[in-house]
Amino acid sequence: MKLGDLVWIKDLYNRTQWGFGLIVEVYPSRYENHAPYVSVFWSSLNRTTMNHTIAYIEVINESR
């Protein structure tokens, strides 16, 4: 995952509530061998979530 990637929630039941998101910032983890955290802007909610774990989101389209 990198800046500008288009994402959505993996949970099918909540996917319609959250809509599509755009990764706006990537934070490295403080733990060894741990996936980074990301901030995602959710256009349908007009809100940005901070330090979102990548385990709950899925990349739909990668940026260049």
Side-chain angles (χ1 to χ4, degrees):
M1 290 190 185
K2 56 187 179 284
L3 291 176
D5 284 356
L6 189 64
V7 296
W8 63 8
I9 296 288
K10 284 185 179 178
D11 182 11
L12 295 175
Y13 298 109
N14 293 324
R15 189 174 283 174
T16 56
Q17 294 173 0
W18 287 86
F20 298 102
L22 188 67
I23 295 179
V24 292
E25 199 161 350
V26 179
Y27 306 99
S29 175
R30 289 182 264 160
Y31 304 107
E32 196 174 318
N33 297 327
H34 194 269
Y37 295 101
V38 294
S39 287
V40 180
F41 174 73
W42 301 99
S43 58
S44 61
L45 300 174
N46 198 20
R47 185 177 118 188
T48 301
T49 55
M50 304 290 197
N51 293 333
H52 204 87
T53 58
I54 63 170
Y56 301 113
I57 57 177
E58 180 180 355
V59 174
I60 300 169
N61 194 4
E62 291 184 5
S63 66
R64 293 183 181 195

